[in-house]
């Protein structure tokens, strides 16, 4: 944890009003980048999560029910089946994308590395 | 003893034998093994254990029946109880695993303060305990129907067995037992569902083929005095469907016994994949449940429509003995069906029997009926065991060790945990035999409280470094008080009057608003008070990255721009 020591000192007893640690030490740049990519991925996946479940399954269920496929009114299908399939896929995509991000940034765990080599 | 009873005994006996054997084989003595299974559970197995832990008697026994009577609005359970895993996987599991210790209140305590930890420990115990009572009751119902015991006997047998292996084995034993229980419960759920789908549509994939019967189901439902099956918002207003679904989702992501499961994996990466496997295994049951609901309801309605009261199918008489199926007084022919005892319909069918009775209603052979009973028991037992562990660890770790005896040894803490577990079993036997009049409401209570207490402070704790202890304590307390007040206002609990819903918001859905209140209060109060100390920022910073950075090949990473 050596890289955070200067940070601690500079903040002293009276930290800046709103933004936490100012002037990150130089090697913290990768951390920012990693975190913001993680957040971006998260926001995109959560948007899909919301649209499929609350959007198609609840808010738009009535208009979608006008379309019937294989006996299923579409809104009803999203509410009772489709959204669940999408949830499973979303988590898998998240885990896979994070694996890639971890190895790009060299923060993957030993077992990942072992498997990759 | 009837054929059904014999087969039930065989299946339940054999599966219990397997669970006890596994628990005995993996019994442990050290604290880490007891609470987090030495953090060495393989990802897929951990996923199956989460699934078994999560899917309780409510999922297995009640849900398909509820959906059968709610129709399209059954989505509140389907999406609500699965969508929460997306939140859990993306917002909570990997970070808490990185920080990784024993309990959820512990994270809250380290991130904020000892006071917040105590509030969280009490909330975790209350939430988990209300759940355990439901499981004991569920186990009792299965026994009373199939083994001819009374409910009291059923509850005691279930409690003794659950208590025995939970106390002996701890998390390691529970994890492997839960893997076995998942296998039993999913097989028990899928076999009858596939058989019924094949019988009714010729396609043995229930998820796909139940579309074919929806038209027919709509028509006969209306004939029998019920709503069109696929019509949305027939059972609840749209705003309420939205809020209840959201509340169940964030409640799921805030439930301590689910979160603690992600401490048992080998790594952060393992926690992410565990969440995937967990939801995958859960989805096998949750996508089948609406099919089971639809098939069973159509079978049920067709089987009794216009039939005279003395010529009803045999399942009606089998279940009439439990009081969960009743034929109206002086009814000669069945022309209407309902799940509500006050509806005055000719035949009243309780939601809870549909899954257990589904093979009987479809006329499947006795061994399948026995298998379903064993599955229901597996669901009830696995969840109860996981909950008992949360009670035990929250008590020994967050209350006994932190508040009562700071210099306690590992051994003493383990003993305190086991005593807490034993006490919880005793109290839940009592409460399972004499359930409070509002068991269904109590579940809503637990979810609403989890949503309004844990979820916001955990998520803010990870994603907002500026969040401080004062804010979190204020947020949790206002969130919980707000949610509990509305529930007490709208429900008949502890002798209070039930008042009408405000703005169509049901007590099950209020957790969503409670969570928003918690978020807002936490943010505002944090902003008004001093930021947390530097060590806390550092801790939050550290849980965001799976491991220490190692040298990476040059050019692989863009350096700070």
């Amino acid at each position: 944890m050596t890289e955070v020591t200067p940070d601690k000192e500079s903040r002293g007893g009276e930290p800046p009003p709103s933004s936490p640690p100012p002037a990150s030490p130089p090697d913290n740049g990768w951390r920012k980048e990693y975190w913001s990519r993680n957040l971006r991925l998260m926001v995109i996946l959560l948007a899909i999560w919301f649209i499929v479940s609350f959007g198609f399954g609840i808010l738009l269920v009535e208009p979608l029910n006008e379309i019937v496929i294989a006996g299923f009114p579409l809104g009803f299908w999203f509410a009772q089946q489709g959204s669940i399939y999408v949830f499973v896929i979303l988590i898998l995509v998240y885990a896979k994308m994070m694996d890639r991000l971890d190895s790009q940034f060299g923060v993957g765990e030993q077992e990942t590395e072992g498997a990759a080599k | 003893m009837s054929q059904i009873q014999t087969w039930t005994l065989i299946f339940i006996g054999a599966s219990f034998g397997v669970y006890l054997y596994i628990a005995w084989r993996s019994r442990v003595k050290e604290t880490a093994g007891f609470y987090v299974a030495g953090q060495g559970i393989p990802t897929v197995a951990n996923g199956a254990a989460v699934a078994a832990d999560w899917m309780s008697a409510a999922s297995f026994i009640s849900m398909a029946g509820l959906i059968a009577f709610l129709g399209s609005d059954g989505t509140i359970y389907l999406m609500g109880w699965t969508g929460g895993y997306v939140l859990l996987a993306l917002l909570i599991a990997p970070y808490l695993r990185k920080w990784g210790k024993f309990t959820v209140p512990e994270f809250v305590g380290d991130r904020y303060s000892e006071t917040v930890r105590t509030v969280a420990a009490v909330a975790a115990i209350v939430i988990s305990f209300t759940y355990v009572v439901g499981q004991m009751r569920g186990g009792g119902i299965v026994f009373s129907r199939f083994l001819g015991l009374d409910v009291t006997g059923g509850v005691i047998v279930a409690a003794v067995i659950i208590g025995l292996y939970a106390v002996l084995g701890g998390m390691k034993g529970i994890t492997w037992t839960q893997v076995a229980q998942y296998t039993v419960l999913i097989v028990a759920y899928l076999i009858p569902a596939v058989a019924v789908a094949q019988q009714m549509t010729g396609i043995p994939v229930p998820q796909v083929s139940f579309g074919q019967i929806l038209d027919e189901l709509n028509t006969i439902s209306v004939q029998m005095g019920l709503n069109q099956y696929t019509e949305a918002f027939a059972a609840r207003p749209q705003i309420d469907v939205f809020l209840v679904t959201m509340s169940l989702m964030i409640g799921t992501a805030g439930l301590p016994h689910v979160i603690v499961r992600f401490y048992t994996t080998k790594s952060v990466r393992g926690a992410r994949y565990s969440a995937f496997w967990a939801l995958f295994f859960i989805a096998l049951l949750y996508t089948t449940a609406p099919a089971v609901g639809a098939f069973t309801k159509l079978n049920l309605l067709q089987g009794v429509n216009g039939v005279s009261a003395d010529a009803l199918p045999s399942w009606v008489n089998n279940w009439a003995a439990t009081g969960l199926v009743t034929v109206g007084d002086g009814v000669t022919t069945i022309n209407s069906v309902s799940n509500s005892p006050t509806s005055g319909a000719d035949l009243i069918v309780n939601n809870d029997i549909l899954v257990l009775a589904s093979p009987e209603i479809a006329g499947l052979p006795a061994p399948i009926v026995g298998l379903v009973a064993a599955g229901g028991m597996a669901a009830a037992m696995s969840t109860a065991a996981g909950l008992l562990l949360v009670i035990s660890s929250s008590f020994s770790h967050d209350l006994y060790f932190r508040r009562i005896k700071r210099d306690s040894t590992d051994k003493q803490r383990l003993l305190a945990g086991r005593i807490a577990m034993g006490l919880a079993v005793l109290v839940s036997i009592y409460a399972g035999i004499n359930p409070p009049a509002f068991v269904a409401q109590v579940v809503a209570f637990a979810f609403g409280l989890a949503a309004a207490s844990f979820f916001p402070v955990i998520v803010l704790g990870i994603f907002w470094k500026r969040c401080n202890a004062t804010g979190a304590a204020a947020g949790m307390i206002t969130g919980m008080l707000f949610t509990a007040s509305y529930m007490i206002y709208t429900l008949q609990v502890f002798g209070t009057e039930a008042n009408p819903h405000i703005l169509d918001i049901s007590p099950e859905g209020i957790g969503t608003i409670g969570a928003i209140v918690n978020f807002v209060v936490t943010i505002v109060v944090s902003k008004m008070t001093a930021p947390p100390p530097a060590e806390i920022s550092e801790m939050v910073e550290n849980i965001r990255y799976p491991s220490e950075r190692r040298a990476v090949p040059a050019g692989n990473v863009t350096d700070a721009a």
Side-chain angles (χ1 to χ4, degrees):
Chain A
M1 307 299 136
T2 43
E3 80 251 26
V4 272
T5 325
D7 184 30
K8 250 188 212 166
E9 280 165 11
S10 73
R11 292 180 58 191
E14 187 184 48
S18 63
S19 62
S24 310
D27 89 316
N28 262 2
W30 71 271
R31 292 194 156 206
K32 260 192 192 152
E33 174 76 14
Y34 174 90
W35 187 243
S36 72
R37 285 212 215 169
N38 176 2
L39 291 182
R40 201 180 318 147
L41 175 63
M42 202 182 85
V43 169
I44 294 170
L45 295 179
L46 286 181
I48 299 173
W49 163 82
F50 187 86
I51 292 168
V52 171
S53 55
F54 292 95
F56 295 166
I58 297 177
L59 299 173
L60 300 173
V61 65
E62 281 161 332
L64 284 175
N65 275 349
E66 303 295 314
I67 308 163
V68 178
I69 298 171
F72 289 104
L74 198 57
F76 175 87
W77 183 80
F78 267 107
Q80 295 212 334
Q81 299 276 301
S83 57
I84 303 177
Y85 300 133
V86 176
F87 296 155
V88 176
I89 295 168
L90 285 177
I91 300 183
L92 183 63
V93 168
Y94 175 73
K96 292 270 174 215
M97 300 283 275
M98 288 306 286
D99 273 357
R100 239 170 57 185
L101 194 62
D102 284 352
S103 65
Q104 260 178 24
F105 281 78
V107 293
E109 288 147 300
Q110 296 313 112
E111 63 169 45
T112 330
E113 207 179 36
K117 277 174 185 173
Chain B
M1 190 179 275
S2 75
Q3 248 208 322
I4 287 181
Q5 284 179 329
T6 313
W7 281 106
T8 306
L9 257 182
I10 292 171
F11 277 110
I12 290 189
S15 55
F16 277 21
V18 172
Y19 308 151
L20 288 174
Y21 174 73
I22 295 173
W24 180 76
R25 278 291 300 268
S26 46
R27 67 195 182 283
V28 284
K29 295 192 179 72
E30 346 68 75
T31 330
F34 193 75
Y35 293 124
V36 288
Q39 301 188 324
I41 303 292
T43 310
V44 180
N46 200 58
V50 178
D53 207 340
W54 166 245
M55 290 191 287
S56 64
S59 293
F60 191 97
I61 299 175
S62 311
M63 193 174 66
L66 282 167
I67 295 167
F69 284 99
L70 281 170
S72 177
D73 296 346
T75 186
I76 54 179
Y77 300 112
L78 293 165
M79 292 200 313
W81 283 340
T82 52
Y85 276 85
V86 178
L87 297 176
L88 197 57
L90 271 56
L91 301 176
I92 295 177
Y95 307 108
L96 289 201
R97 173 62 191 84
K98 172 69 197 296
W99 169 85
K101 283 188 192 164
F102 293 156
T103 69
V104 176
E106 200 163 26
F107 170 76
V108 179
D110 285 6
R111 172 65 179 82
Y112 301 110
S113 72
E114 288 303 301
T115 318
V116 185
R117 177 207 289 263
T118 307
V119 175
V122 172
I125 292 173
V126 170
I127 291 168
S128 302
F129 184 74
T130 51
Y131 250 69
V132 172
V133 174
Q135 306 310 316
M136 297 292 180
R137 186 79 191 161
I141 288 177
V142 176
F143 274 127
S144 80
R145 160 67 184 89
F146 291 107
L147 301 183
L149 287 170
D150 59 1
V151 176
T152 310
V155 168
I156 291 173
V157 173
V160 166
I161 293 173
I162 292 166
L164 199 68
Y165 81 70
V167 171
L168 281 184
M171 197 58 134
K172 200 168 166 201
I174 284 180
T175 303
W176 290 108
T177 314
Q178 282 176 336
V179 174
Q181 283 165 333
Y182 175 77
T183 314
V184 171
L185 81 84
I186 198 67
V187 168
Y189 208 84
L190 291 182
I191 287 182
V194 167
V196 174
Q198 172 70 34
Q199 194 189 58
M200 293 178 74
T201 64
I203 302 169
V205 186
Q207 284 86 339
V208 176
S209 60
F210 84 101
Q212 295 178 19
I213 61 148
L214 290 174
D215 258 344
E216 213 177 328
L217 187 51
N218 276 338
T219 317
I220 195 167
S221 294
V222 174
Q223 262 177 39
M224 310 271 313
L226 297 157
N227 293 314
Q228 265 213 17
Y229 194 74
T230 57
E231 190 191 327
F233 317 123
R236 286 167 178 272
Q238 187 168 18
I239 168 116
D240 197 43
V241 171
F242 189 98
L243 291 174
V244 175
T245 306
M246 186 65 96
S247 178
L248 295 181
M249 282 192 191
I250 55 189
T252 297
L255 278 180
H257 77 283
V258 179
I259 297 178
V260 78
R261 271 282 159 210
F262 294 96
Y263 292 173
T264 57
T265 58
K266 283 179 181 155
S267 61
V268 174
R269 180 172 181 266
R272 295 185 198 128
Y273 280 94
S274 266
F276 162 72
W277 285 112
L279 187 59
F280 175 82
F281 289 132
I282 290 169
L284 282 180
L285 191 143
Y286 273 62
T287 54
T288 310
V292 171
F295 285 134
T296 309
K297 194 167 177 199
L298 183 62
N299 260 335
L300 189 161
L301 295 180
Q302 283 176 339
V304 300
N305 188 12
V307 173
S308 80
D310 44 11
L312 287 168
S314 65
W315 65 265
V316 175
N317 296 321
N318 288 345
W319 284 92
T322 62
L324 297 173
V325 171
T326 44
V327 180
D329 279 337
V331 170
T332 50
T333 10
I334 307 294
N335 287 314
S336 58
V337 173
S338 172
N339 62 335
S340 157
T342 54
S343 62
D346 299 340
L347 182 70
I348 312 285
V349 180
N350 186 296
N351 303 323
D352 286 355
I353 73 148
L354 275 203
V355 168
L356 294 174
S358 142
E360 285 176 89
I361 294 174
L364 296 177
I368 294 188
V369 182
L371 182 64
V372 172
M377 280 308 298
M381 287 180 52
S382 57
T383 306
L387 293 165
L388 285 174
L389 208 75
V390 168
I391 293 174
S392 149
S393 60
S394 297
F395 177 79
S396 80
H397 227 77
D398 300 303
L399 296 177
Y400 177 74
F401 171 52
R402 296 279 161 172
R403 290 278 156 182
I404 301 169
K405 197 161 188 276
R406 283 230 62 130
D407 59 347
S408 53
T409 62
D410 226 36
K411 226 177 168 176
Q412 286 173 318
R413 269 182 269 166
L414 204 54
L415 183 67
R418 286 187 162 144
I419 291 173
M421 212 182 238
L423 280 180
V425 171
L426 290 181
V427 182
S428 63
I429 290 178
Y430 175 81
I433 294 169
N434 309 294
F438 47 90
V439 169
Q441 286 98 317
V442 157
V443 172
F445 221 91
F447 268 93
L449 290 179
S453 58
F454 284 112
F455 184 75
V457 293
I458 293 175
V459 169
L460 286 175
I462 296 165
F463 290 91
W464 194 44
K465 287 184 191 166
R466 180 65 179 75
C467 189
N468 67 18
T470 328
M476 269 179 100
I477 292 169
T478 42
M480 285 210 292
L481 282 182
F482 171 85
T483 308
S485 316
Y486 187 79
M487 286 173 171
I488 291 169
Y489 176 79
T490 48
L491 293 170
Q492 209 177 338
V493 287
F494 309 118
T496 58
E497 281 283 302
N499 290 296
H501 301 170
I502 300 168
L503 299 171
D504 284 338
I505 302 169
S506 67
E508 293 92 337
I510 195 66
T512 304
I513 316 277
I516 296 172
V517 169
N518 184 336
F519 268 116
V520 171
V521 171
T522 308
I523 292 171
V524 170
V525 174
S526 291
K527 280 279 188 191
M528 284 176 355
T529 46
E535 315 85 85
I536 300 284
S537 298
E538 195 184 311
M539 167 200 159
V540 177
E541 178 71 20
N542 277 322
I543 62 172
R544 293 180 176 182
Y545 312 96
S547 72
E548 285 304 309
R549 194 184 198 201
R550 288 181 305 276
V552 280
N556 223 352
V557 176
T558 48
D559 215 56

